[in-house]
C-alpha cells in the first residue's frame, strides 16, 4: 500500500474530531473496516497453501478492459474465504441491515456445526460469479439461503475483499507505482484492473521527491482510483469520468465544503451524473486510510443525493 499511512482508527478519529455528527455511522462501520484492513496478513499463508496467486497481466486483455481475475479460476479460495467469514460474520451481524439474516448467513458460510448438517457449498463459484457480475448465480444463491441478494453481496464483499487484498499484496511489488497496470497506457478503465470493481474513492498524489537527491521529481497531482473491493490503486486520467469514460474540460465538476475541506471533495460527471469521492493529498499533512475516509465523506454524499447525483460505488451508507 503506497499511500495508506494512517490506520483506520486514526483516520476515523480525525474525521470524528471535525464531524462529530457522523459518529453513529463511523462507529457502526468502523470495526468492519478495521477487521478488513488487518485480515489480509493472516490470510496470506492460507492463499499460499492453496496455491493461489495473482495471474500476470496480459497486455492485450488489459487493453480490451478485461480485469486480471475476470476469467481466472478461483479454485482453492474456499478455505481463506471461510477464515475471513469467521472473523467478519460476527461484526456483520451487528449491522442493522444484516442482523435479521445473521444466522442464515452463518449457516451458509460456516455450516450448522452438526456432523450430519448439510454439506457446505463451494464458495469459489460464488466468488467467481461476483467478479464476473453474474447476477443470476448470486440471486439464486441468495434465494437458496433466504436473504436479499443485496445483503448477501454486502456480507460476501467483506469476506472476498480481505482475501483479494491478501492476493494483491502477495504480488511482488504490491500495487505501487511499479504495478503493471500503472505502466503508461496499460489500463485506461475507471474500474479495477485486478477485480473489476468500482472505486470507492480517488486521490491526487503529493509532489514526488527523489529520495537520494532530494530533487523534485514530479509536481504531484497525478490521479489514482482506489478499488472498493480489493484495495488496488491505479492511475487514471484527471479530466475523465471513471463511470462513463467521457473526457474533456467540461466533463468533471467538483463539490466541496467552502471551509476546512482538507482536500476532500466529490468529483462528479456532468454527462452521466455519477460521482466519486476524492481527496487531494496536497492539501493535507497526513495520508488517511482511504476506505475510512470514503465513509467520512458521507456529508458530501448527502448533498450529492439532493442534487440527483449517483455514487459510483453504491453501498448501504451512501444510498438514501
Ligand atoms: Zn479491485
Ligand atoms: Zn460520466
Amino acid at each position: 500500500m503506497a499511500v495508506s499511512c494512517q490506520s483506520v482508527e486514526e483516520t476515523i478519529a480525525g474525521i470524528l474530531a471535525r464531524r462529530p455528527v457522523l459518529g453513529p455511522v463511523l462507529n457502526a462501520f468502523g470495526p468492519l473496516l478495521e477487521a478488513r484492513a488487518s485480515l489480509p496478513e493472516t490470510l496470506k499463508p492460507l492463499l499460499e497453501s492453496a496455491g493461489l496467486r495473482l495471474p500476470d497481466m496480459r497486455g492485450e486483455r488489459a487493453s480490451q478492459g478485461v480485469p486480471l481475475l475476470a476469467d481466472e479460476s478461483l479454485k482453492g479460495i474456499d478455505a481463506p474465504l471461510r477464515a475471513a467469514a469467521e472473523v467478519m460474520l460476527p461484526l456483520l451481524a451487528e449491522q442493522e441491515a444484516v442482523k435479521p439474516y445473521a444466522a442464515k448467513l452463518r449457516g451458509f458460510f460456516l455450516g450448522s456445526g452438526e456432523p450430519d448438517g448439510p454439506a457446505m457449498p463451494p464458495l469459489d463459484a460464488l466468488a467467481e460469479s461476483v467478479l464476473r457480475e453474474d447476477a443470476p448465480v448470486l440471486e439464486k444463491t441468495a434465494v437458496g439461503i433466504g436473504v436479499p441478494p443485496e445483503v448477501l453481496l454486502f456480507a460476501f464483499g467483506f469476506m472476498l475483499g480481505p482475501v483479494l487484498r491478501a492476493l494483491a499484496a502477495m504480488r511482488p511489488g504490491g500495487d505501487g507505482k511499479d504495478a503493471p497496470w500503472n505502466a503508461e497506457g496499460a489500463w485506461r478503465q475507471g474500474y479495477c484492473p485486478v477485480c473489476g470493481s468500482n472505486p470507492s474513492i480517488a486521490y491526487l498524489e503529493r509532489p514526488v521527491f527523489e529520495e537520494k537527491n532530494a530533487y523534485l521529481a514530479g509536481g504531484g497531482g497525478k490521479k489514482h482510483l482506489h478499488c472498493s473491493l480489493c484495495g488496488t490503486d491505479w492511475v487514471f486520467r484527471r479530466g475523465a469520468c471513471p463511470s462513463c469514460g467521457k473526457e474533456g474540460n467540461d466533463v468533471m465538476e467538483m463539490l466541496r465544503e467552502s471551509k476546512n475541506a482538507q482536500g476532500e471533495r466529490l468529483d462528479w460527471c456532468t454527462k452521466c451524473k455519477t460521482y466519486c469521492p476524492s481527496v487531494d493529498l496536497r492539501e493535507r499533512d497526513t495520508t488517511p486510510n482511504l476506505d475510512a475516509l470514503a465513509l467520512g465523506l458521507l456529508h458530501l454524499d448527502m448533498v450529492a443525493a439532493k442534487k440527483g447525483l449517483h455514487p459510483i460505488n453504491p453501498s448501504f451508507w451512501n444510498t438514501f
Side-chain angles (χ1 to χ4, degrees), residues 241-246 251-252 269-274:
C241 169
S243 182
C244 71
K246 292 214 171 63
V251 173
M252 299 306 288
C269 173
T270 56
K271 309 295 177 194
C272 73
K273 311 287 184 211
T274 304

Side-chain angles (χ1 to χ4, degrees), residues 25 52 160 193 219 283 287 291:
V25 179
L52 280 160
L160 186 56
E283 292 181 34
T287 301
D291 299 298

Side-chain angles (χ1 to χ4, degrees), residues 69-226:
L69 293 174
D71 37 30
E72 202 62 21
S73 159
L74 293 177
K75 214 158 189 43
I77 205 170
D78 288 51
L81 278 175
R82 285 192 218 283
E86 289 276 10
V87 174
M88 298 308 295
L89 279 173
L91 298 170
L92 285 160
E94 299 293 316
Q95 306 297 317
E96 285 306 319
V98 180
K99 204 175 270 173
Y101 309 103
K104 286 177 173 170
L105 287 170
R106 192 169 181 86
F108 174 73
F109 286 108
L110 298 172
S112 59
E114 293 158 25
D116 298 331
M120 285 186 284
L123 296 181
D124 52 349
L126 185 62
E128 287 166 11
S129 75
V130 167
L131 295 185
R132 283 168 203 165
E133 293 179 34
D134 187 346
V137 171
L138 183 84
E139 269 158 35
K140 212 176 132 204
T141 309
V143 169
I145 312 170
V147 304
E150 65 273 16
V151 171
L152 175 62
L153 189 60
F154 175 78
F156 190 51
F158 275 94
M159 302 166 207
L160 186 56
V163 174
L164 296 183
R165 277 160 202 253
L167 200 58
M170 281 159 64
R171 197 191 147 270
D175 71 351
K177 67 178 188 313
D178 300 331
W181 45 85
N182 285 331
E184 187 72 37
W187 182 258
R188 294 177 55 81
Q189 313 301 328
Y191 50 84
C192 176
V194 173
C195 76
S197 299
N198 283 325
S200 55
I201 190 165
Y203 66 91
L204 303 185
E205 70 179 26
R206 293 197 181 90
V208 184
F209 288 92
E210 202 190 312
E211 276 172 35
K212 221 163 76 195
N213 310 315
Y215 282 134
L216 194 62
K222 198 185 258 188
K223 182 172 182 166
H224 302 252
L225 300 175
H226 176 74

Side-chain angles (χ1 to χ4, degrees), residues 32 73 108 126 241 278 280 312 316:
L32 278 176
S73 159
F108 174 73
L126 185 62
C241 169
S278 184
D280 190 339
I312 189 167
F316 281 142

